[in-house]
Structure formats: structure tokens, C-alpha cells
Amino acid sequence: MKRILLLLFLSVPVFSQAQLLEDAAIQQVILKATDKIYNYEFDEAEEYIRAVKAKYPQHPVVPVMKAIQLYWQYLPLKENKAATTQYVNYLNQGIALSKKLLDRNGNDPEGVFFSLASHGYLAMKYHYDDETLKAVGEAQKAYGYLKKGFKLMEKNPEFYFSTGLYNYYRERYPLDHPASKPLLIFFQDGNMPLGMKQMETAIRQGIFTRTETAIYLGRIYLEHESQPARGAAVMKPLADKYPQNPIFNLMEAEALVLAGRYREAQPYIDRIQKFPQKFLTMPLDVLEGLVAEKMNGDLKRAAELYQAAIKLPTNDVNTKEFAAQAYSGLARIAARAGDQNRAKAMYKKALSVAEYKSTIREAKTYLKS
């Protein structure tokens, strides 16, 4: 039960409707701020956030926006202790200010929304820092707000994201982890197709959550549904609108490569090569290795790139799966050379880190042969 709670709150929407969206002028300011954050224009984002704070100094939107800015500005956040401390402080401020809204009205849509967001982002932070008890604690707090969100979708389309995410993973998680089924008996049933439709609705109708929804729906298509072409379709608008965002461009390049659309992926790969973030070196090696192997048939170059990739560090958030793909690539090359022992060894290493169903299926199929 604790594990499923945590999984369901690794992402939550950032903003809500109600009072703020009755203010058309400030709505546009917030939209501009989020656009600047996603496109790594942080100084410009600060100007817009200050304008929001001047008009709504006690609203949880301000500290939550600041937390999201820190998340993107210092990616991967856990490597910067000062920024991490600020991030946690801002989210706790968001919780405190949301509580004031809920003290006046226990079903206040914005109070519910920002409580869910703040606890959810804290759960994500603690999860990736391996602070399991803290992560589960935040996830359990978020669950009550999540349930309230089920009833608020018609009033606030931003809640289609959190509800859709729950509906999908409530059913997906026990499929992947059968031992968890008895622990989920007290949780409301989910519906995977409905959950995906709800997330698609959030992308169309949500104002502030459409970008976050696209990120997670894109990951679902890649990780669970093995539909990289659909993942590429979801991510393309983000990569094109926010050309300075390394994650959006990385996800689009990965989806296109996995879909076999190597030439379409190349402009995004070229763009990523110009980004300064060091953690991108490892996934770039893997993407270029896949292109060398599968488009160009240059197995020697592919093997060199895969070998270089597995020597580099990974992080659970953005690069772990690329290690699995590198091991799988080395396994395929070994299998072609008739080296079954090495192929099996590489596929076993791939399975030790893989999360994508397609990667797992490929490795298990070979190991059973």
C-alpha cells in the first residue's frame, strides 16, 4: 500500500483554477512565468513571479512556482544541497498557505489543489533521495486531497491530470507487482484506458497542467505501453515550444529513436549536444549508439558508444533506463557475433536496471531461448 501511494504522487499538477483564474490578467502573468521556467529563462520567470506575489502575497501559487523553478534550474536537484533546502522550504510554505484556504473552506479547490501539489512534490523529492519513510508520509497526506480531486474535475479541468494518473497506476502497478494486490483492497479501483483519456483531456483543457501531463503521459507511452510513436507525438509540442529544455528534447529524441524515426530524431540530438548539463552525456551516447547500430549498421561505433555510456553515472529520474538500453545494445551486438555468453550477461545487466516493458521483454525473450 505504501509503495502504490508513493508511485501515485510522483507527479501532481502545479496550479488550479477558481480564484486565480477569475483574474484574467494574473492568469496570463502565471502562464508567462511557467513558459519561462520550462524554457530555462529563469531571470525572466522571476519578474513574472514577483508580479504574482505583489498581487497575491499570501497565495500558495507563489512558493509552489518558486519550487518548480528550482527543480528545473538545478536539475538534477539532489546534487545541489542549498537549492534542495530552498525547494523543501517553498513546498512547506505552499502547504501552510493552502491550509489557510482550507481552514476557511475544507473543499476550497485551490486549497485542495496546492496541498496535493506540495505534498506530491515532496514525496517525489524524498523518493529519489531514498528517504522512504518521509516519501510515504507525504504520499499518504496527498491521498486525501487526491480523492477530493476526483469530484472536482468538472469544476476544474486541472484535476483531470491527478485523477487520470491515479486511474492508470492504480491498475498498472499491481499488474507489474502482483504481490501488491492484497495491499490495494482499500483503494478505489482504477481504469487504465480511462486514466489515459483523462490525461489527454488535461492536455487539451488544462491551462497550467498541460505540460506536466504531457511529460507523464509521454513516459507512460514509452515505459509501459511500448508505443514510442505516440510518446513522440505527445512530446513534440513541448520540445518545439521549449527548445532550451533538455528533458523535453531528450524525451522527444528518445521516443523518435525507439520508434525507428532516426532522421527525425537527429535535430533534437543535435540540440541536446549543445546543452551544458553534464548528465546528458550518457543518454546522448546511447541515442547515438542506437542510430549507429540500427540506422547505419555500424556495430563497431555503436559498441564504442554503449561502452562509453555504461561507464558514466546515472540517476533514477532521467538516465537510468538509458543504461538498460546500452546493455541491451551490447547484448544484440554480442548475439550477432555469436557470443551467447556475453549476450546473456549483458541482457541480465539490462534487466537489473530496466523499467521499460519493451526492454524487459527483449531481454527475457533472449534469455529464454
Side-chain angles (χ1 to χ4, degrees), residues 83-152:
T84 298
T85 298
Q86 284 184 295
Y87 176 81
V88 172
N89 288 340
Y90 280 131
L91 291 175
N92 282 326
Q93 288 177 35
I95 291 169
L97 291 173
S98 297
K99 185 176 184 300
K100 290 183 179 181
L101 297 177
L102 293 170
D103 284 344
R104 293 194 292 269
N105 175 6
N107 293 313
D108 181 276
E110 291 187 8
V112 172
F113 197 94
F114 286 103
S115 294
L116 173 59
S118 299
H119 286 298
Y121 279 115
L122 283 172
M124 177 177 66
K125 183 266 180 194
Y126 291 131
H127 169 70
Y128 287 120
D129 286 353
D130 294 322
E131 296 185 71
T132 303
L133 292 178
K134 288 185 179 181
V136 171
E138 294 297 335
Q140 288 174 326
K141 292 173 185 176
Y143 183 60
Y145 301 113
L146 178 74
K147 289 192 294 184
K148 288 186 177 183
F150 295 162
K151 302 175 183 179
L152 294 171

Side-chain angles (χ1 to χ4, degrees), residues 155-260:
K155 295 181 179 179
N156 183 350
E158 310 297 337
F159 281 107
Y160 275 104
F161 178 31
S162 54
T163 303
L165 197 68
Y166 177 89
N167 274 325
Y168 184 84
Y169 277 108
R170 170 59 180 83
E171 298 304 310
R172 168 57 70 184
Y173 191 82
L175 286 177
D176 295 342
H177 305 86
S180 70
K181 288 182 181 179
L183 303 177
L184 301 176
I185 190 171
F186 298 109
F187 287 80
Q188 179 174 318
D189 289 343
N191 182 316
M192 286 196 295
L194 176 60
M196 295 181 75
K197 287 181 180 178
Q198 289 169 331
M199 284 185 273
E200 289 169 356
T201 299
I203 293 174
R204 292 193 307 271
Q205 297 184 15
I207 294 175
F208 302 115
T209 58
R210 63 182 60 166
T211 298
E212 293 290 319
T213 307
I215 295 169
Y216 285 89
L217 185 57
R219 285 177 172 164
I220 284 171
Y221 279 129
L222 288 176
E223 180 177 344
H224 297 294
E225 299 298 318
S226 301
Q227 297 184 52
R230 297 194 71 173
V234 169
M235 290 307 303
K236 180 175 171 55
L238 301 191
D240 291 347
K241 184 176 181 180
Y242 306 111
Q244 298 183 74
N245 188 298
I247 299 303
F248 297 167
N249 283 276
L250 181 61
M251 289 183 66
E252 176 65 3
E254 179 190 12
L256 288 169
V257 167
L258 293 180

Side-chain angles (χ1 to χ4, degrees), residues 215 218-219 221-223 227-229 231-232 235 239 246-262 264-266 268-269 272 283-284 286-288 290-291 317-326 355-356 358-359:
I215 295 169
R219 285 177 172 164
Y221 279 129
L222 288 176
E223 180 177 344
Q227 297 184 52
M235 290 307 303
I247 299 303
F248 297 167
N249 283 276
L250 181 61
M251 289 183 66
E252 176 65 3
E254 179 190 12
L256 288 169
V257 167
L258 293 180
R261 292 155 58 180
Y262 309 112
E264 291 178 61
Q266 196 59 53
Y268 298 101
I269 293 174
I272 297 166
L284 269 173
V286 177
L287 292 175
E288 292 182 330
L290 288 166
V291 172
V317 185
N318 299 304
T319 62
K320 183 179 178 181
E321 186 65 26
F322 285 98
Q325 292 179 26
E355 294 181 348
Y356 285 15
S358 55
T359 308

Side-chain angles (χ1 to χ4, degrees), residues 6-17:
L6 174 59
L7 179 62
L8 293 171
F9 302 114
L10 291 184
S11 170
V12 289
V14 185
F15 304 105
S16 72
Q17 287 186 294

Side-chain angles (χ1 to χ4, degrees), residues 4-66:
I4 188 66
L5 272 172
L6 174 59
L7 179 62
L8 293 171
F9 302 114
L10 291 184
S11 170
V12 289
V14 185
F15 304 105
S16 72
Q17 287 186 294
Q19 298 99 318
L20 276 182
L21 289 192
E22 292 173 2
D23 187 335
I26 212 68
Q27 172 188 344
Q28 291 304 311
V29 175
I30 295 171
L31 285 170
K32 289 176 181 177
T34 57
D35 280 344
K36 295 299 182 183
I37 290 172
Y38 287 129
N39 202 39
Y40 274 58
E41 298 172 277
F42 301 114
D43 289 341
E44 293 89 338
E46 281 282 359
E47 296 177 13
Y48 291 115
I49 293 173
R50 283 196 293 269
V52 177
K53 186 175 182 179
K55 191 163 186 181
Y56 292 91
Q58 295 300 308
H59 197 284
V61 66
V62 175
V64 173
M65 287 175 71
K66 292 290 293 181

